[in-house]
Amino acid sequence: MRKAAWTVAGALLVVSLQGQTPSSSSGDSVQERFRRGQQALTDHRYDVAAREFEAILNVDPRIAGAHANLGVARYLLADYEVAVAAFRRALELDPSMQNAELYLGLSLARAGKMEEALPSLSKGFWNASDDPWRLQAGVLLSELYATRQEDDKLLKVVRALKLAFPKDPNVLYLAYRIYSDMGSRAIADLVREAPNSARLHQVTGELLVSEGDFPRAVLRFRKALEIEPGLSGANRALAVAILNSSPDDAGIREAERALESELALNPRDAEAQYQLGEIAWRRGDEAGALQRYSTAVELEPRFAEGLVALGKALIAKSEYDRATQLLSQAVQIDPNNEVAHYRLAQAYRQLGRTDEAAEELEEFRRIREASEALGAIYRQVQRNPVSGGDLGEGDAR
């Protein structure tokens, strides 16, 4: 994390002297030093702050707030052992001191005492929901749980971080690495325990789809269904792969049969209904498509793709108010769905709501540009895959 983010956090941690001023005549000088120390923290002059709080403690070592703020200054100066001692003394003097447990855990972790840091990090992370240092604690806690392979606790922390910091790039990167690593371990377990299973062929097909290799994905899904004809989700996945690799009449008919097979196994499969709606739309059967899309949304009201498709069909019927309602729901459910924004712009334009249409088009363009940039990065990785020697310990896929 960049130092700027850390210094802002330091400025926000200022422990009050209220109720802790010594009764001696030195009280005024302590008050003034405390004020100067707080200001130095706010100004990111951590060495000055440390000197002020040390001077206060020379006068009266019983002031918990001075120990806590000294700990902050020393932590931000990377003097972690001194910070540990300061936070421990602050908690001894005032066990109720807000968030001191969190800072103690951070200091122990940065001092390399990860196992010792775990109880304080965990307690501090879950009790300090409004603290700016909670992000750092969560990242360190995640590293600890990942090392210990305590997946339940790890996922709980990652979910809490994503909820508290939904746009923070450090959190998004952490989530990507954690989920990728857990997925890789699950696949490795599947290969080891069931190397010839239908599920392994299915997951291989799904990975091929993610790479855009639909013809090979079709072969994998067919193999999975050959081994286990009633495999949940495989017929639908096969249909989607066929529609992307062989969109001719024969391919469309095969995909349609696969989707009907999926519905025979699971009549409440909303995505299969949606895909059948897409086939009907391709054929120009707008009424049939509308029925399929409506069924998909009835089965799964928060199915964003189904809502977008139903909105498309309603726009074609000039039912713009209803389309706007459904497309607005889709945008709320999936804010990064570029098609939803584009279709919503269409509906707004037909209703004469030009300003809202322009806003949706702008959002559509922003998401499209981001998607194209992400696609370029992915293609670059595909051309120049990372070798095993480039990966750190535990990163090998």
Side-chain angles (χ1 to χ4, degrees):
M1 186 176 296
R2 297 191 305 273
K3 188 173 182 180
W6 292 57
T7 55
V8 169
L12 291 173
L13 176 77
V14 178
V15 180
S16 168
L17 185 60
Q18 185 176 1
Q20 300 182 56
T21 307
S23 57
S24 69
S25 60
S26 63
D28 290 342
S29 63
V30 168
Q31 287 278 14
E32 178 57 25
R33 283 191 176 279
F34 211 100
R35 186 196 65 77
R36 290 201 302 265
Q38 289 179 321
Q39 187 61 50
L41 278 178
T42 302
D43 295 341
H44 307 163
R45 295 179 294 123
Y46 306 125
D47 53 345
V48 173
R51 288 196 295 271
E52 293 292 349
F53 292 117
E54 285 165 353
I56 291 170
L57 292 170
N58 284 334
V59 174
D60 189 340
R62 299 166 299 165
I63 302 176
H67 284 287
N69 278 325
L70 174 61
V72 172
R74 287 300 177 189
Y75 180 89
L76 293 166
L77 289 167
D79 194 352
Y80 301 122
E81 294 286 359
V82 176
V84 166
F87 287 127
R88 277 184 169 152
R89 183 57 179 152
L91 285 167
E92 288 172 5
L93 292 166
D94 184 1
S96 67
M97 182 167 289
Q98 186 178 9
N99 295 338
E101 195 83 48
L102 176 70
Y103 311 133
L104 173 58
L106 285 167
S107 302
L108 285 166
R110 295 299 179 188
K113 301 176 180 179
M114 298 296 285
E115 291 295 325
E116 190 178 349
L118 181 56
S120 293
L121 273 179
S122 179
K123 182 178 178 181
F125 177 77
W126 293 112
N127 291 341
S129 59
D130 61 343
D131 194 277
W133 279 9
R134 189 176 185 231
L135 172 57
Q136 297 173 37
V139 171
L140 288 169
L141 200 55
S142 298
E143 291 176 5
L144 266 169
Y145 287 143
T147 300
R148 296 158 66 102
Q149 295 193 4
E150 296 185 31
D151 290 347
D152 289 346
K153 294 178 180 178
L154 173 59
L155 289 174
K156 188 177 179 182
V157 171
V158 173
R159 283 193 293 268
L161 284 171
K162 288 188 68 180
L163 183 64
F165 309 97
K167 297 182 179 180
D168 189 281
N170 297 295
V171 172
L172 297 175
Y173 176 75
L174 173 68
Y176 153 72
R177 292 308 303 267
I178 295 302
Y179 296 149
S180 296
D181 182 65
M182 292 181 71
S184 296
R185 283 194 278 124
I187 291 175
D189 291 342
L190 184 57
V191 171
R192 183 176 59 252
E193 301 298 335
N196 299 311
S197 66
R199 286 299 189 191
L200 182 57
H201 287 286
Q202 184 181 21
V203 76
T204 304
E206 291 169 358
L207 291 171
L208 289 166
V209 165
S210 71
E211 295 173 1
D213 192 346
F214 297 105
R216 290 175 63 202
V218 167
L219 297 176
R220 288 292 187 168
F221 292 133
R222 284 176 176 159
K223 183 63 176 177
L225 288 164
E226 178 185 323
I227 296 170
E228 189 176 334
L231 188 64
S232 174
N235 277 293
R236 176 180 10 92
L238 172 62
V240 173
I242 290 171
L243 291 172
N244 280 280
S245 61
S246 305
D248 54 16
D249 289 343
I252 291 173
R253 286 194 297 271
E254 184 183 358
E256 195 169 22
R257 289 193 298 270
L259 291 166
E260 294 291 1
S261 295
E262 190 69 50
L263 286 173
L265 294 167
N266 179 14
R268 297 191 59 79
D269 192 313
E271 189 174 345
Q273 291 284 0
Y274 159 75
Q275 292 294 345
L276 284 166
E278 291 289 88
I279 290 174
W281 186 266
R282 288 190 190 193
R283 290 174 173 161
D285 180 6
E286 294 185 3
L290 181 62
Q291 182 180 0
R292 292 290 189 177
Y293 296 148
S294 297
T295 301
V297 171
E298 287 171 8
L299 291 170
E300 180 48 71
R302 291 186 58 79
F303 181 22
E305 293 292 344
L307 289 165
V308 173
L310 184 53
K312 170 184 67 176
L314 291 170
I315 288 173
K317 290 171 60 65
S318 301
E319 296 184 21
Y320 304 120
D321 287 322
R322 177 62 175 152
T324 299
Q325 180 184 353
L326 294 171
L327 291 165
S328 296
Q329 291 178 29
V331 166
Q332 291 175 358
I333 293 166
D334 184 5
N336 292 317
N337 189 315
E338 61 183 70
V339 180
H341 288 284
Y342 182 79
R343 297 293 185 193
L344 185 54
Q346 285 183 312
Y348 279 146
R349 188 165 55 246
Q350 292 295 333
L351 290 169
R353 297 164 65 173
T354 54
D355 289 344
E356 290 161 294
E359 289 176 5
E360 293 302 324
L361 276 178
E362 180 60 31
E363 187 66 8
F364 161 75
R365 295 189 185 99
R366 183 192 68 79
I367 297 170
R368 171 61 61 88
E369 290 174 2
S371 298
E372 290 174 349
L374 181 60
I377 292 171
Y378 182 79
R379 288 191 295 274
Q380 180 67 24
V381 171
Q382 290 297 99
R383 287 195 298 269
N384 301 290
V386 179
S387 67
D390 295 326
L391 298 171
E393 183 179 353
D395 288 343
R397 295 292 179 260

